[in-house]
Amino acid sequence: MLLRRTWVAFFGRFGRLLPVQVQAVPPVLEGRNVVVCSPTASGKTEAVVAPTAERSLREGWGAMSVLYLTPTRALANDALLRIAGPLGDLGLSAALKHGDKPQFDASRPPDWLLTTPESLDSLLCRQPDAMARVRTVILDELHLVDGTYRGDQLRILLRRLRHQSIGPGFASHALSATLSDPEGVARRYMDDYKVVRTEGGREIDVT
C-alpha cells in the first residue's frame, strides 16, 4: 500500500484512486517534481496532497515543511477548507498567511502553510529562517500566473526557497486544469520533472 498512513483520511470514503491519482501518486512519493494537468473535479488536489502528506509522515518532516501556494486569497481559503480536515486527522496542522490573515507566529509554525506568492515574498524577506525547512511546494492553479509578472516573481521565489532549504531534497508540484503546454510550463518552474496529464473529470453531485 503506497498510501498506508493517508489512505483512510483522503480516500477512505471513495475506496479507489481516480486516474490522475494513479499516475501522480508514485512520482510524488518518490520526491520528483511533478506537473499535474487535469480537469476540474478530477481529483488532482488529492493526487498531490495525499502523497506529500504520506512522505512528510514517513520521513518526519515537522513544522513548516510544506508550502501550498495559490494565486489568490480566495483560492487559499478554499484549499484550506478542502485539505485541513484530512491533514488534521493525520495530526498535521495547516494554516493561512495572506493579506486577510497576516498573522504568522514563527515560534509556533504550522506543518503546512497556505499562502500567496506575495505573502511568501514577505516571509522570505522578514522571516527567512522560518522558510529554511520547506521540503515541498505545491503550486495550485499555476496557469493563472504563468506568463505574467507574477509568474516571473514565483520563479524567483522558488529559486530562493531551493537555495536556502536545509532539508534533503526539495520538490515542486504544480496543479492546473488549463495548460496548453505543460512541458513548457514545467521547464520554467522546475528541473527533472514528470508531467501527468489526463482527460475527463468525475461527475459532481450538486445535492
Side-chain angles (χ1 to χ4, degrees), residues 23-188:
Q23 294 187 48
V25 165
V28 173
L29 282 175
E30 294 169 2
R32 296 187 61 185
N33 299 319
V34 180
V35 173
V36 179
C37 186
S38 186
T40 300
S42 62
K44 61 182 176 292
T45 300
E46 291 79 7
V48 166
V49 171
T52 299
E54 184 77 24
R55 284 192 68 209
S56 72
L57 293 169
R58 183 180 65 199
E59 301 172 14
W61 288 357
M64 279 306 300
S65 55
V66 180
L67 287 178
Y68 193 113
L69 297 182
T70 67
T72 68
R73 303 170 190 178
L75 286 171
N77 296 340
D78 291 345
L80 182 68
L81 290 174
R82 183 168 184 174
I83 69 175
L87 290 176
D89 292 342
L90 298 167
L92 298 172
S93 60
L96 290 169
K97 167 69 172 74
H98 54 56
D100 296 334
K101 299 281 186 178
Q103 295 79 20
F104 177 79
D105 185 354
S107 66
R108 299 179 61 187
D111 299 310
W112 290 49
L113 183 67
L114 290 82
T115 188
T116 62
E118 290 76 17
S119 288
L120 174 58
D121 197 353
S122 175
L123 283 171
L124 282 170
C125 291
R126 298 179 182 181
Q127 296 176 304
D129 291 345
M131 301 290 103
R133 299 187 66 84
V134 173
R135 298 284 303 275
T136 291
V137 178
I138 298 172
L139 310 170
D140 201 359
E141 302 293 356
L142 184 57
H143 66 280
L144 294 179
V145 299
D146 184 54
T148 72
Y149 75 91
R150 297 183 73 209
D152 297 336
Q153 175 196 30
L154 180 56
R155 290 198 298 274
I156 294 171
L157 293 174
L158 290 173
R159 283 199 294 268
R160 290 167 62 186
L161 281 170
R162 293 189 193 103
H163 179 72
Q164 69 183 54
S165 176
I166 62 175
F170 182 94
S172 299
H173 308 315
L175 305 173
S176 180
T178 309
L179 286 178
S180 59
D181 180 19
E183 287 81 7
V185 171
R187 287 192 294 270
R188 286 193 284 276

